[in-house]
Amino acid sequence: MKAIDNTGLQILSNIIIESISTSGIYCFGEKKRIQAVQNPFQESASKQEEHTHFYLLVFTNENKTNAAADISDIIKTKTEGRFTVTLLLHKATSVRYLTPHKLYFFYEVLTKSQTVFEHVNVPPNIAFEEVPKRKAAYIRSYWKNRNSVAKSFLESENQIEGFDTELIQESMLNIAVEQICLGLIDVFLGYQPNHFSLAFLFDICEIFTSLTSEIFPRTTEEDKKLFDLLKMHPSSLRWANLKTSSFLNTELLEKRCNLFYERACELVESELERLENMELKN
């Protein structure tokens, strides 16, 4: 994979290295968007703004709480939104001892992506004795578990009645959607994230499907308001003051989550069948 915007990658690399002890940075994807900015009073002042989103695997030598989100915010701020990033942060020492199933993703990235940075003295140094292979039975089992959790929460959420329950319902929808995303990511990429915010999981899902952006767009103010409701993590209920919010918004969110579940199941089943057929041929 060859990234187009090498200048942007270098800027991001410098920011990451300044922010956290880094042994390696690898770019395994990018998305570009060009937006026309019109000036109705001065046509010559009209311009096009380009935005690039990078997907980076970063090996670090230290543990920092919420480092991925913090560094992503720093990049967006310092580049004034010109560049954004989905950061997968891992310690190389942990990756070396993964099972072949979990090692598969890292093998794919390290052998097929663009190397942005490797520390001269302390590179990740991850050796592959053989090509890691995933087993379709394990992939299906993992999806079955995620599917079961998501389905249970969606069905239970639908049974809740009474006043001031919207926050509870939204937190249950949050769990369901998180589980669906984790299942999708494992099936299509063979990756199991160590960071679980929905915005982060949605960004990873968009590598292989537009489903998240189709059902949960984040373009208009109304879209963003619904997404904020969906981000209601169950842990926030520890201190929540339960009060009535917009029932219509919660109801709309519920419908979207159920549609997301149905569409995700269709996508996964199709991909699992493809993987199982490939395994039989090999």
Side-chain angles (χ1 to χ4, degrees), residues 143 146-147 149-151 153-154 169-185 196-199 201-202 205 211-212 215-216 226-227 229-231 253-261 264:
W143 167 249
R146 304 287 69 74
N147 183 322
V149 175
K151 185 178 180 181
F153 273 90
L154 288 173
Q169 290 173 270
E170 289 153 11
S171 70
M172 296 176 76
L173 294 173
N174 173 281
I175 294 176
V177 171
E178 174 195 282
Q179 290 291 306
I180 297 166
C181 288
L182 291 175
L184 282 167
I185 293 167
F196 306 99
S197 79
L198 287 189
L201 296 179
F202 278 15
C205 285
L211 187 60
T212 50
I215 296 180
F216 302 109
L226 279 178
F227 186 66
L229 296 180
L230 185 60
K231 290 192 298 184
L253 189 61
E254 177 186 306
K255 290 179 179 178
R256 289 192 182 184
C257 290
N258 279 286
L259 178 60
F260 181 58
Y261 172 75

Side-chain angles (χ1 to χ4, degrees), residues 221-235:
E221 288 304 312
E222 190 62 29
D223 292 338
K224 293 174 182 177
K225 184 177 180 180
L226 279 178
F227 186 66
D228 285 340
L229 296 180
L230 185 60
K231 290 192 298 184
M232 175 58 68
H233 194 273
S235 62

Side-chain angles (χ1 to χ4, degrees), residues 56-232:
L56 301 179
L57 171 62
V58 177
F59 288 108
T60 178
N61 306 312
E62 61 179 314
N63 289 319
K64 278 189 176 182
T65 303
N66 210 38
D70 290 343
I71 296 172
S72 297
D73 287 342
I74 292 171
I75 287 171
K76 186 175 182 179
T77 301
K78 284 193 172 183
T79 65
E80 298 181 339
R82 170 70 179 80
F83 302 109
T84 53
V85 63
T86 297
L87 280 181
L88 311 187
L89 285 179
H90 291 270
K91 295 190 73 172
T93 50
S94 300
V95 172
R96 290 177 195 143
Y97 302 103
L98 292 176
T99 61
H101 181 88
K102 293 184 179 181
L103 195 59
Y104 169 83
F105 172 80
F106 296 96
Y107 173 83
E108 290 291 301
V109 172
L110 291 175
T111 58
K112 298 177 181 179
S113 67
Q114 177 168 332
T115 300
V116 182
F117 166 81
E118 281 188 347
H119 197 287
V120 176
N121 300 318
V122 193
N125 196 26
I126 299 173
F128 301 97
E129 296 180 1
E130 58 183 7
V131 178
K133 293 182 179 180
R134 299 195 295 161
K135 293 184 178 180
Y138 182 88
I139 302 171
R140 185 173 285 280
S141 175
Y142 185 84
W143 167 249
K144 182 180 179 181
N145 287 324
R146 304 287 69 74
N147 183 322
S148 181
V149 175
K151 185 178 180 181
S152 296
F153 273 90
L154 288 173
E155 290 177 347
S156 298
E157 181 275 333
N158 190 47
Q159 300 301 314
I160 294 179
E161 296 179 352
F163 297 102
D164 303 338
T165 61
E166 287 85 359
L167 294 181
I168 300 171
Q169 290 173 270
E170 289 153 11
S171 70
M172 296 176 76
L173 294 173
N174 173 281
I175 294 176
V177 171
E178 174 195 282
Q179 290 291 306
I180 297 166
C181 288
L182 291 175
L184 282 167
I185 293 167
D186 181 73
V187 169
F188 283 90
L189 298 180
Y191 178 63
Q192 294 184 8
N194 56 6
H195 184 62
F196 306 99
S197 79
L198 287 189
F200 178 76
L201 296 179
F202 278 15
D203 283 342
I204 298 178
C205 285
E206 287 174 10
I207 296 173
F208 53 84
T209 180
S210 59
L211 187 60
T212 50
S213 57
E214 288 173 10
I215 296 180
F216 302 109
R218 288 171 280 172
T219 306
T220 67
E221 288 304 312
E222 190 62 29
D223 292 338
K224 293 174 182 177
K225 184 177 180 180
L226 279 178
F227 186 66
D228 285 340
L229 296 180
L230 185 60
K231 290 192 298 184
M232 175 58 68

